[in-house]
Amino acid sequence: MALLLLVPALALLGVFRLVPIGEAFYLSLTRWNGVGEPEWVGLANYEALLKDRTFRTALTNNLAILLAVPAWVLLPLFVASLIHRAGPGARFFRLALFLPAVLSPVVIGAFFNVMLQYSGPVNELLRMAGLGWVASEWLHSSRTALPVVMVVFIWATLGIGVLVYLAGLAQVNPESWDAARLDGAGFWQVQRHITIPELRRVIEFWTVIVLISSFTAVFPFIYTLTRGGPGYSTYTLDYYVYDKAFQGSALGYASAVGVVLLVIVGGLAALNVLLFRRGDRGLTA
Amino acid sequence: MTQSGRPTSRARGPIVPGWWVGFGVLSLLAISAIYPFVFVALTAFKSEPNYASDPVGLPSPPTVAYLERALEVGRIGDYTLNSLLVVGAAVLLVVAVASPAGFALARLRFPGRTILLVGIVGLMTIPAAVLMIPLFRLVGQLGLIDNYLGLVLVYATLNLPFSIYLVAAYVSGLPREILEAAEVDGASVLDQLRSIVLPLSLPALATIVTLVFLWLWNELLFGLLILQDPDMRTLTVGLATLQGQHTTPVPLLAAGLLVSMGPVLVVFLVAQRHLARGLTAGAVK
């Protein structure tokens, strides 16, 4: 009986998930231009990867993105704490801050492309404020492009993190805060001594999501904001897979890049599964 | 205002260094989150010279010429229909397949259940970049490139692991006694699923419909790869193409963006209550 209920799901997941994962490994050992049959080349793709400067740039950019993780973890926590005690406005702020998360990266990309043009509104505002020297080709300068992509990304996903943290804050006993208030603790002290310890589980959970997302979720933003440019300055591993496969017609080589990405994310995912199991004893026991 | 604002905020949570600082930060973030909608809505009704001379102000005079052009030249209407068709079918498929599977995993005892559940959760984190080449090949081998069914199957599978997990988590939280009573009355497993579990799980199913709709409506990568025929493009791909052409006037692009924002906004505002539950299913328990 259980089998009957599971068969459709397992069939779909088997054909469209498990088989493709196996195939990714196989294709990474071939040369294939997308038409005809892949040609077996053994480990040649991986050997080439070691000498590939673009691959190294993409990997470096992924590591640079990791530098944004602390902000990406703590900013929503900070904002959620503010909303939690905002009183009557809380519902509005929660709703408003989530809005960017329901927008397509294509919409967000198009919007910021317009906003950040050299003669666009952002630079105009800076000039009006007497900060004309800061005005820049934000998305077309190799120094600023990647940081700008990350700022946009964190802005776009802020509402999701806030929602996760708010759900956690709702579980905390309000008396902890009352006690701290009586002791005269300030906002930052409360954050450090009550909010962060109380929400440890939620922070861990969100950190793992963020770590994985930093390798897997930035692609659509890069595609619509910079297409990897200028030069290779915003190439990431997943963008490189797409670029090699569908612009460069090197699908075997691109698969090897994909496998490297899978190994990195697999390590992080193992951590994720551990956390999920810990949180759901009731479900898996 | 200060007098009435302070006591409420203090009563609800920790203290902040000045209530207005927190309120100000939240307000700025909320404005930044709402502004893209305002900008796109205003720009869609501007003419090109109007936009060039005043990119942020009100349209003067307002014109619907660019909305008309977006529908004709940009074919935004056709692409919206394509998206509705593919995303609608995929959402239905996800719900139809995930509900029995999630129920079986949560409530039936059979060997390998725990491993299956952990495996399905693990599948959630496989990066799209790893799957894109093998899935492109698989869909090609099945003869489903430029066929709506190809994208429907890929879309449904992408969201299955999350949806199965959510149903399982929700069903395992339902009071055990209800199903046990039904079993004593001689109700078969299918009866239990149909007449008890599904009606009680409507909130979880609503969450799945909402989240999967939003994700798929905004999906770019697989839409790009699987429906290449210009007649079959999804809205996201159509917009990305429009945005990629540097000759596209900003008001025309904004008109297209405005159309694509409509359905997500409606779904989001109607269903936002259900969002928190889905996004926090793993975080708080």
Side-chain angles (χ1 to χ4, degrees):
Chain A
M1 195 64 231
L3 209 62
L4 205 64
L5 296 174
L6 282 164
V7 161
L10 294 183
L12 272 176
L13 288 175
V15 174
F16 288 92
R17 274 278 162 130
L18 285 182
V19 170
I21 292 170
E23 183 115 314
F25 282 93
Y26 161 69
L27 286 174
S28 78
L29 303 171
T30 69
R31 182 179 307 140
W32 187 44
N33 64 7
V35 273
E37 278 308 297
E39 173 199 346
W40 183 266
V41 293
L43 290 171
N45 287 332
Y46 291 96
E47 280 163 26
L49 271 187
L50 292 175
K51 292 181 224 125
D52 180 346
R53 294 181 83 173
T54 313
F55 172 72
R56 220 175 303 159
T57 306
L59 190 61
T60 312
N61 284 340
N62 267 122
L63 296 178
I65 288 173
L66 285 181
L67 293 178
V69 165
W72 197 347
V73 169
L74 292 176
L75 200 64
L77 175 63
F78 170 61
V79 173
S81 304
L82 287 178
I83 291 181
H84 186 61
R85 46 107 258 152
R91 227 178 97 78
F92 165 75
F93 285 126
R94 200 185 57 190
L95 203 66
L97 292 187
F98 196 79
L99 279 174
V102 305
L103 286 183
S104 164
V106 174
V107 176
I108 292 172
F111 172 72
F112 278 98
N113 260 309
V114 171
M115 284 288 120
L116 295 170
Q117 277 170 4
Y118 194 66
S119 56
V122 168
N123 283 334
E124 282 305 317
L125 270 178
L126 285 170
R127 288 186 194 105
M128 268 157 57
L131 292 167
W133 53 277
V134 189
S136 156
E137 287 272 16
W138 298 104
L139 289 168
H140 302 286
S141 139
S142 55
R143 229 157 31 96
T144 52
L146 191 60
V148 167
V149 169
M150 285 320 295
V151 168
V152 170
F153 188 87
I154 290 176
W155 169 84
T157 55
L158 182 70
I160 302 175
V162 167
L163 216 58
V164 169
Y165 282 128
L166 277 175
L169 283 168
Q171 313 257 314
V172 178
N173 184 352
E175 280 168 24
S176 329
W177 282 303
D178 293 340
R181 198 184 58 200
L182 287 178
D183 291 344
F187 179 74
W188 297 110
Q189 282 170 304
V190 171
Q191 293 287 301
R192 237 187 81 200
H193 296 294
I194 298 178
T195 311
I196 292 182
E198 288 274 359
L199 292 192
R200 238 196 65 167
R201 267 269 303 137
V202 184
I203 297 173
E204 281 172 9
F205 168 83
W206 182 243
T207 306
V208 174
I209 299 282
V210 160
L211 282 175
I212 292 176
S213 305
S214 78
F215 285 95
T216 62
V218 190
F219 170 84
F221 290 88
I222 290 175
Y223 184 86
T224 55
L225 282 168
T226 65
R227 305 262 153 130
Y232 294 104
S233 61
T234 52
Y235 265 59
T236 53
L237 289 177
D238 50 0
Y239 190 82
Y240 193 40
V241 174
Y242 169 81
D243 184 58
K244 268 284 167 197
F246 298 103
Q247 309 294 319
S249 292
L251 285 86
Y253 189 76
S255 295
V257 180
V259 168
V260 172
L261 185 63
L262 182 64
V263 170
I264 295 173
V265 175
L268 296 169
L271 191 62
N272 195 15
V273 170
L274 272 174
L275 285 180
F276 265 116
R277 287 189 70 176
R278 191 142 53 91
D280 285 310
R281 282 227 181 86
L283 189 55
T284 49
Chain B
M1 189 63 208
T2 320
Q3 292 308 315
S4 65
R6 265 166 195 263
T8 341
S9 69
R10 296 225 161 164
R12 292 209 18 155
I15 317 161
V16 222
W19 188 76
W20 289 105
V21 177
F23 195 80
V25 170
L26 288 179
S27 302
L28 279 178
L29 285 171
I31 290 169
S32 85
I34 295 170
Y35 184 64
F37 293 85
V38 177
F39 176 81
V40 167
L42 291 179
T43 307
F45 294 100
K46 282 179 186 172
S47 66
E48 270 175 84
N50 184 189
Y51 174 78
S53 62
D54 181 13
V56 290
L58 293 171
S60 66
T63 168
V64 290
Y66 289 87
L67 272 169
E68 281 168 2
R69 264 181 72 189
L71 293 176
E72 279 160 31
V73 186
R75 309 189 57 186
I76 293 301
D78 299 340
Y79 297 156
T80 306
L81 289 181
N82 289 344
S83 273
L84 281 175
L85 178 71
V86 172
V87 174
V91 168
L92 285 181
L93 187 57
V94 165
V95 171
V97 172
S99 337
F103 165 69
L105 285 169
R107 270 301 147 85
L108 305 180
R109 307 284 146 205
F110 56 92
R113 192 181 69 106
T114 307
I115 292 177
L116 209 52
L117 193 62
V118 172
I120 287 174
V121 171
L123 280 185
M124 278 194 227
T125 49
I126 303 297
V130 176
L131 295 170
M132 70 174 133
I133 298 167
L135 274 180
F136 175 70
R137 182 163 189 241
L138 177 68
V139 173
Q141 284 167 338
L142 294 172
L144 294 176
I145 296 285
D146 283 340
N147 183 325
Y148 292 120
L149 182 62
L151 192 57
V152 170
L153 289 170
V154 168
Y155 272 0
T157 323
L158 280 180
N159 290 279
L160 257 189
F162 166 80
S163 306
I164 293 173
Y165 170 77
L166 197 66
V167 173
Y170 191 83
V171 170
S172 71
L174 293 176
R176 206 164 272 276
E177 299 76 30
I178 300 178
L179 287 182
E180 279 163 4
E183 222 165 307
V184 172
D185 290 345
S188 73
V189 170
L190 270 185
D191 285 337
Q192 289 178 36
L193 175 64
R194 203 180 50 218
S195 56
I196 303 175
V197 175
L198 284 185
L200 284 178
S201 302
L202 280 182
L205 299 184
T207 306
I208 292 172
V209 169
T210 310
L211 284 175
V212 171
F213 178 87
L214 291 176
W215 284 333
L216 292 183
W217 188 264
N218 294 333
E219 203 280 340
L220 173 67
L221 180 59
F222 288 103
L224 209 57
L225 297 181
I226 293 175
L227 297 181
Q228 300 173 345
D229 180 343
D231 288 338
M232 303 182 84
R233 280 179 189 147
T234 60
L235 185 54
T236 321
V237 176
L239 286 173
T241 313
L242 204 59
Q243 187 217 339
Q245 297 157 350
H246 287 287
T247 48
T248 303
V250 176
L252 180 62
L253 184 59
L257 298 180
L258 186 64
V259 174
S260 87
M261 283 172 169
V264 265
L265 259 189
V266 170
V267 169
F268 171 63
L269 292 176
V270 169
Q272 40 96 9
R273 279 183 303 127
H274 301 298
L275 279 171
R277 188 199 302 280
L279 290 167
T280 55
V284 192
K285 258 262 154 136

